[in-house]
């Protein structure tokens, strides 16, 4: 992540609309993630909702002495992958567009944007393809019943 002054105010990188060109701009995404991570790191109301936030806070506090700009790509990926889109953090967050706050922070939508750009660039994983289709996952699970019973004997 780049090392530059971090404003809490929504900037050029803010976009939650995939129809906007800037939504797909990786440098603007990086700017927005840095801004959001800085706000979340200072607030911490969301620490209890999923593993994204404890991971984020641990990386920033223990690995980078409080400097959000020093997060490594692997650390960012872990934070983003730990979000399971329950959206409880968005409901609790005092800085959301829903509350008309000037920060316009929406962590679940940021994660969705990160993953959309990643998948557009690299394609989706086997795990995401399987879990992204509950009907197919159910059929595969049903087909395994006889095999599981046989193996348990």
């Amino acid at each position: 992540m780049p090392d530059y002054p971090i404003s809490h105010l929504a900037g050029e990188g803010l976009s939650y609309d995939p129809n906007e060109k800037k939504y797909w701009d990786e440098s603007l995404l990086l700017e927005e993630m840095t801004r959001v991570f800085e706000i979340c790191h200072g607030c911490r109301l969301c620490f209890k909702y999923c593993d994204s936030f404890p991971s984020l806070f641990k990386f920033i506090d223990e690995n980078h002495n409080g400097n959000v700009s020093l997060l490594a790509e692997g650390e960012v990926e872990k934070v983003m992958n730990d979000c399971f889109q329950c959206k409880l953090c968005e409901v609790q967050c005092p800085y959301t567009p829903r509350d008309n706050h000037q920060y316009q922070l929406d962590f679940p939508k940021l994660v969705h944007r990160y993953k959309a750009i990643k998948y557009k660039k690299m394609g989706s994983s086997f795990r995401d393809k399987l879990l992204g289709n509950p009907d197919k996952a159910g059929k595969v699970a049903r087909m395994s019943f006889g095999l599981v019973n046989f193996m348990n004997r």
Side-chain angles (χ1 to χ4, degrees), residues 18-74:
N19 294 318
E20 290 183 325
K21 185 177 180 180
K22 67 181 180 177
Y23 180 91
W24 299 101
D25 186 317
E26 288 185 64
S27 63
L28 292 177
L29 171 65
L30 185 59
E31 177 185 310
E32 180 64 6
M33 285 190 311
T34 304
R35 181 184 80 88
V36 168
F37 290 171
E38 176 73 14
I39 294 169
C40 291
H41 180 250
C43 174
R44 299 185 185 227
L45 279 176
C46 52
F47 76 94
K48 59 189 171 235
Y49 295 118
C50 73
D51 288 341
S52 289
F53 300 104
S55 293
L56 176 65
F57 304 149
K58 179 180 177 221
F59 292 144
I60 295 170
D61 293 337
E62 295 177 13
N63 298 356
H64 306 297
N65 200 28
N67 190 341
V68 173
S69 298
L70 298 178
L71 285 169
E73 189 175 325

Side-chain angles (χ1 to χ4, degrees), residues 93-146:
C93 183
Y95 306 122
T96 63
R98 177 180 40 82
D99 294 328
N100 294 319
H101 194 278
Q102 62 185 349
Y103 291 173
Q104 300 290 298
L105 193 147
D106 191 328
F107 193 86
K109 286 184 181 176
L110 181 68
V111 171
H112 189 268
R113 179 181 176 189
Y114 171 86
K115 289 184 177 184
I117 290 172
K118 180 181 167 192
Y119 294 155
K120 186 175 183 180
K121 195 163 98 174
M122 302 173 71
S124 61
S125 68
F126 174 74
R127 173 185 169 257
D128 290 332
K129 287 177 185 171
L130 180 64
L131 296 178
N133 186 340
D135 292 334
K136 184 184 261 184
K139 286 178 186 176
V140 169
R142 271 197 310 268
M143 290 175 13
S144 71
F145 288 155

